[in-house]
Structure formats: structure tokens, C-alpha cells
Amino acid sequence: MQKLPITAEGLARLEDELRVLRSEERPAVIRAIAEARAHGDLSENAEYHAARERQSFIEGRIAELESIIPSSEVIDVSKMAGDQVRFGARVTIVDEESDEEKTYRIIGAYEADMKNGSISISSPLARALIGKSVGDSVEVPAPGGARSVEITAVAF
């Protein structure tokens, strides 16, 4: 089984989500199904069908989390240092054409959130940056064609 890199915070979030799904969401949807079932005719009961759909989502997510968590390998980012891009690094890049500066944190696939500036280690941008250092110019594959970026800072 392949180990998936993840930060300690990311693993804690996944474990919390699993706990909430098991102890709160699952019992709540079971109660909602029982209540909707009590209303009679299930074929035209929208509440029943919505609750069953929600139950299906919850059970699927529980199964997914139960497979992700044991296969995760926590990487302790607090012990990392240097100017080379690795897992857990906060990387500041500047687009060489537009001079637009962006900062990304490279983390595990199951904790990445582009809106919060974190990208998956398996993303094309992260794969292009891994192993490079401050001052390096990097070609990054993009939908509109390759972009050239310069790494201006790396922090852990």
C-alpha cells in the first residue's frame, strides 16, 4: 500500500471529520429516515428520498476516510528548513511575464485547498517546483501553455 503524505493538521482535520460523521451525522440521518418513513407512502415522500441520499453520501465519505487515514504518513514540517522546495514548504513565486506574485503551501492531496493557498504535492505546479531552490526559474505546465515562474522565497 502506498503511503500518502499529509501534515499533522491535515490528518487531525480528517480524523475530526470522520468522528463527526460517525457520531453526529450518521445518527441524525437515521433519525430523519425513520421520521420520514413514519409519514407513510415512501414512493412520493421527498423527505425520505433526501434523507436516503444524504445517508448514501455520509456512508461513502466514511468509507473514503477509513481508507485514507490508515494509508496516510504524517510529515513533520516543523523540523524542516532550507531553501529547497519540499513537502510542507511555503513557496513564493513570481510569474515572469505578468510579475504577479503568489504564495502556495505544498501539502497532501486530501488537505489541499487552492482558495487558502495550499496545493497538492501531486499538482503540476508542485511537481514542477519540488527540488528547486530560491532564485530558480521554473517552467510550469498550464492549460493555456507553459508559464515561467521564479521562486523568490521558501519557508517552512
Side-chain angles (χ1 to χ4, degrees), residues 3 15 30 37 49 66 74 83 120-121 125 128 147:
K3 289 289 189 183
E15 288 171 338
I30 290 170
R37 203 178 259 148
H49 292 289
E66 286 175 340
V74 176
D83 66 348
S120 167
I121 188 138
L125 175 58
R147 309 277 305 180

Side-chain angles (χ1 to χ4, degrees), residues 6-20:
I6 194 167
T7 62
E9 305 89 44
L11 183 61
R13 273 194 303 277
L14 292 179
E15 288 171 338
D16 284 346
E17 181 183 357
L18 181 59
R19 182 189 49 74
V20 167

Side-chain angles (χ1 to χ4, degrees), residues 138-153:
V138 181
E139 281 285 310
V140 179
R147 309 277 305 180
S148 187
V149 300
E150 181 182 345
I151 301 171
T152 58

Side-chain angles (χ1 to χ4, degrees), residues 86-103:
R86 292 181 290 209
F87 180 89
R90 219 174 270 292
V91 184
T92 303
I93 58 173
V94 175
D95 187 303
E96 292 182 348
E97 287 180 32
S98 67
D99 284 337
E100 184 180 0
E101 182 178 274
K102 292 184 180 175
T103 301

Side-chain angles (χ1 to χ4, degrees), residues 104-105 107-120:
Y104 298 105
R105 183 171 183 213
I107 56 178
Y110 293 104
E111 58 183 326
D113 182 3
M114 188 67 158
K115 288 180 253 165
N116 292 326
S118 57
I119 59 174
S120 167

Side-chain angles (χ1 to χ4, degrees), residues 38-83:
H39 292 133
D41 188 11
L42 299 180
S43 64
E44 295 180 12
N45 189 333
E47 291 172 356
Y48 174 77
H49 292 289
R52 290 295 302 216
E53 197 169 298
R54 178 79 180 137
Q55 181 185 35
S56 176
F57 170 78
I58 290 170
E59 294 302 327
R61 184 64 178 157
I62 288 172
E64 181 181 23
L65 290 171
E66 286 175 340
S67 71
I68 292 169
I69 291 171
S71 65
S72 296
E73 178 181 355
V74 176
I75 308 292
D76 188 0
V77 182
S78 66
K79 294 179 180 165
M80 295 182 169
D83 66 348

